Amino acid sequence: MKYIITIFISVFMLTSCFKDYNEDFLITKKAVEFEDAATNSNAPGKNFPVLANLLEMNGVTSYRVNFFGGLSSVPQQIAYRIVEEQSTAVEGRDFRFITGNSLTVPANTSFGFLQIEVLPTINGSKLLVVELIGNNEVEVSANYRTIGIPMSNAVLTPAPGIVVDKGDYLHITELELGGDANPDIGCFLDMKTANIYNWEAVELFPEKATIGYFHSGSNFANFVFPGLSSMSTAWNSYYNRIRNWSVAPTGTVVRYTNIQPVDEALYEGLDSRADIENAVRSAQIDVLTRHGSASTYGPGERVRSLKSGDIVFVYSSTHDFYAVIRVKNALPDGAVASTDRKIKIEYKVQK
């Protein structure tokens, strides 16, 4: 009997301990947290996670806010703020809050949503840091109150007046492409619209990548068709991404360098769809006499070592059109930061 009493007392004390523990840690006040903050690790050096990049083409994006501590019989307006000291994105220029200055957790539900839209006027890569504030009745989780949202313009559209309609062809008077590692200016060109796509955008619309501008330390400025299989050695990490595209555009390019007055006259004289096609077809043959067949000059899916003044003749086999590019400014070597590896061009392309 003594043993039975002892066991009973021990079980009672143990049960009492659990009861005290539960009471100490029981959430008795309503609170909110970002779902993404609770389920993702903090970014290095930050007390919040940095989430997937938003593009202006994504439309409205929602971020779930969890509500716990018991349901509310009335809707709860949960305030939030921009953490200005850690944000580079500007409201009204780079993005807008669809939900205004606060989000709603409807009555008798356990979550609400912060909604954000990236605006077409965003320029470059930005970071928005948002912190929940709560309200007089609802607290905010100390550890899961903040998220970082990177955003950028994935597609650069040409400025007004850049694309000149010439009837059966377009004259793009000036355009600047970023190198393959440039985070702000895309390296993929849709020649029919003059839109420039960065990596995130082109992976959504790979068929738009008529041609790419890639940079390397040994071959400097390159025009290359993304479907080129030799990219597996030239830019292996990029090739591993491109080969997963639903469409990897291909074609043929030819480069003329050491430009002479007759070459300038040829470009200036391109005045119709037929002129452009004839120029490209002739260059595919004449380059063999002028420069010899080589990866630097073509014909092939890539030309290298582009210099200011060069003329590049393009045939897109994926989209079946011809174009002629004049290089207005190209870097002569690879010893520059990735953000400075740009090329400025003009071109004429069949409609």
Side-chain angles (χ1 to χ4, degrees):
M1 178 64 71
K2 181 169 68 173
Y3 292 114
I4 295 174
I5 293 172
T6 302
I7 293 171
F8 176 77
I9 292 171
S10 299
V11 172
F12 176 79
M13 292 179 65
L14 185 61
T15 305
S16 298
C17 289
F18 280 128
K19 182 175 183 293
D20 291 342
Y21 179 91
N22 288 333
E23 287 176 348
D24 287 344
F25 289 86
L26 183 66
I27 298 172
T28 58
K29 188 169 178 62
K30 295 176 175 60
V32 288
E33 67 180 12
F34 276 120
E35 169 81 11
D36 288 305
T39 57
N40 290 278
S41 300
N42 290 343
K46 306 288 186 183
N47 62 351
F48 55 84
V50 174
L51 308 178
N53 189 59
L54 288 189
L55 309 176
E56 81 277 10
M57 63 178 60
N58 288 146
V60 176
T61 302
S62 298
Y63 297 92
R64 176 166 163 161
V65 173
N66 295 328
F67 184 88
F68 52 93
L71 300 180
S72 172
S73 60
V74 297
Q76 293 289 341
Q77 295 299 121
I78 307 301
Y80 49 82
R81 74 178 186 95
I82 300 172
V83 184
E84 300 285 355
E85 60 273 19
Q86 300 200 61
S87 298
T88 56
V90 176
E91 185 178 5
R93 183 192 68 190
D94 302 320
F95 72 96
R96 70 184 180 107
F97 288 120
I98 303 298
T99 39
N101 296 321
S102 65
L103 62 95
T104 302
V105 177
N108 300 311
T109 61
S110 56
F111 54 86
F113 293 95
L114 168 70
Q115 293 185 308
I116 293 173
E117 180 183 27
V118 179
L119 299 175
T121 48
I122 188 173
N123 184 19
S125 299
K126 306 295 172 64
L127 177 66
L128 169 65
V129 181
V130 183
E131 179 185 56
L132 294 172
I133 298 174
N135 61 35
N136 292 334
E137 297 180 33
V138 181
E139 294 181 345
V140 179
S141 168
N143 295 324
Y144 308 126
R145 65 193 306 139
T146 309
I147 55 173
I149 305 169
M151 55 185 66
S152 62
N153 51 335
V155 182
L156 291 178
T157 57
I162 294 296
V163 179
V164 181
D165 192 331
K166 293 288 190 176
D168 61 355
Y169 75 98
L170 300 174
H171 181 199
I172 287 70
T173 59
E174 183 170 289
L175 212 60
E176 187 173 65
L177 293 166
D180 45 276
N182 190 315
D184 295 329
I185 304 177
C187 66
F188 296 102
L189 174 62
D190 179 353
M191 297 193 76
K192 284 297 193 77
T193 63
N195 289 343
I196 300 170
Y197 289 73
N198 71 10
W199 278 100
E200 291 166 304
V202 81
E203 285 171 342
L204 296 174
F205 306 101
E207 72 281 359
K208 301 295 185 182
T210 304
I211 201 165
Y213 165 56
F214 280 56
H215 209 276
S216 70
S218 57
N219 296 300
F220 315 134
N222 299 249
F223 274 132
V224 57
F225 283 96
L228 174 62
S229 59
S230 66
M231 284 188 66
S232 61
T233 54
W235 296 281
N236 185 56
S237 62
Y238 294 146
Y239 177 68
N240 287 336
R241 298 172 69 172
I242 291 171
R243 66 181 180 176
N244 292 321
W245 292 3
S246 58
V247 178
T250 58
T252 303
V253 281
V254 169
R255 171 195 175 214
Y256 278 6
T257 193
N258 301 323
I259 299 303
Q260 304 300 311
V262 66
D263 303 316
E264 291 287 355
L266 169 66
Y267 180 84
E268 294 295 342
L270 298 175
D271 205 25
S272 71
R273 177 185 178 89
D275 286 348
I276 295 170
E277 179 175 349
N278 291 335
V280 175
R281 288 181 177 274
S282 296
Q284 291 172 350
I285 299 171
D286 295 344
V287 71
L288 302 178
T289 301
R290 176 171 177 147
H291 295 301
S293 178
S295 57
T296 299
Y297 309 113
E301 292 181 306
R302 172 188 176 193
V303 287
R304 320 178 186 196
S305 304
L306 293 165
K307 297 189 297 186
S308 299
D310 284 359
I311 297 176
V312 180
F313 302 84
V314 180
Y315 172 64
S316 170
S317 55
T318 300
H319 301 291
D320 191 25
F321 68 80
Y322 296 85
V324 181
I325 300 171
R326 178 158 58 185
V327 179
K328 302 183 80 169
N329 188 30
L331 294 170
D333 59 53
V336 291
S338 60
T339 52
D340 292 328
R341 294 174 186 171
K342 304 171 186 176
I343 191 169
K344 189 174 291 185
I345 63 174
E346 67 169 307
Y347 65 93
K348 298 178 181 180
V349 61
Q350 292 179 325
K351 289 175 65 175

